[in-house]
Amino acid sequence: MSATIEGGINIAMKVPSHQYEATIAFYRDVVGLEGIPEKAPAVGFKLGPNQLWIDEAPTMSQAEVWLELFTPDFAGTLKQLGDAGAVRCDPIEPLGESFRGGWIMNPANIVHMVREPDAW
């Protein structure tokens, strides 16, 4: 049986501290994206049907983009992804013990949060 997986709405851009403020200014002032103030202090912008979150990552030397995948059954999907060779990388950012989701990497080392839609 195949797990159901679909794209989530959140895209996280992890940005080193030395580039963080300039990156926010770029999307706010240059591109002109509408902010998402109700999630402050998190910094996010509406990106069509998606949400782009700019996260400061002091321990990183270059920016990365992280993607989100939804599934109604995290445990089953995790098994299917693991059987296909996806690498778990949960230590990259703790989500809490009761969170119904986790982190994987694709073959190109792009981080994906895989979670149930109501995992938060």
Side-chain angles (χ1 to χ4, degrees):
M1 181 172 167
S2 283
T4 301
I5 303 171
E6 60 184 36
I9 62 169
N10 295 302
I11 300 167
M13 186 177 295
K14 306 293 185 173
V15 179
S17 296
H18 68 280
Q19 298 169 324
Y20 182 69
E21 292 299 329
T23 301
I24 291 170
F26 174 79
Y27 287 104
R28 181 189 61 223
D29 304 334
V30 177
V31 178
L33 294 181
E34 181 181 346
I36 305 173
E38 61 271 14
K39 298 288 186 172
V43 177
F45 298 95
K46 294 181 181 177
L47 186 67
N50 296 87
Q51 299 177 64
L52 174 63
W53 298 97
I54 311 297
D55 298 336
E56 185 173 9
T59 61
M60 298 178 83
S61 63
Q62 63 186 27
E64 293 183 5
V65 173
W66 295 10
L67 303 175
E68 177 182 62
L69 298 172
F70 284 161
T71 179
D73 175 22
F74 174 66
T77 299
L78 184 62
K79 180 176 180 345
Q80 178 177 316
L81 292 168
D83 289 349
V87 175
R88 288 287 300 266
C89 57
D90 290 324
I92 200 162
E93 185 175 298
L95 296 168
E97 292 295 320
S98 62
F99 187 79
R100 291 182 319 280
W103 300 105
I104 64 161
M105 286 190 175
N106 74 11
N109 292 324
I110 302 297
V111 176
H112 293 67
M113 173 187 280
V114 181
R115 69 177 180 96
E116 295 178 13
D118 61 350
W120 295 109

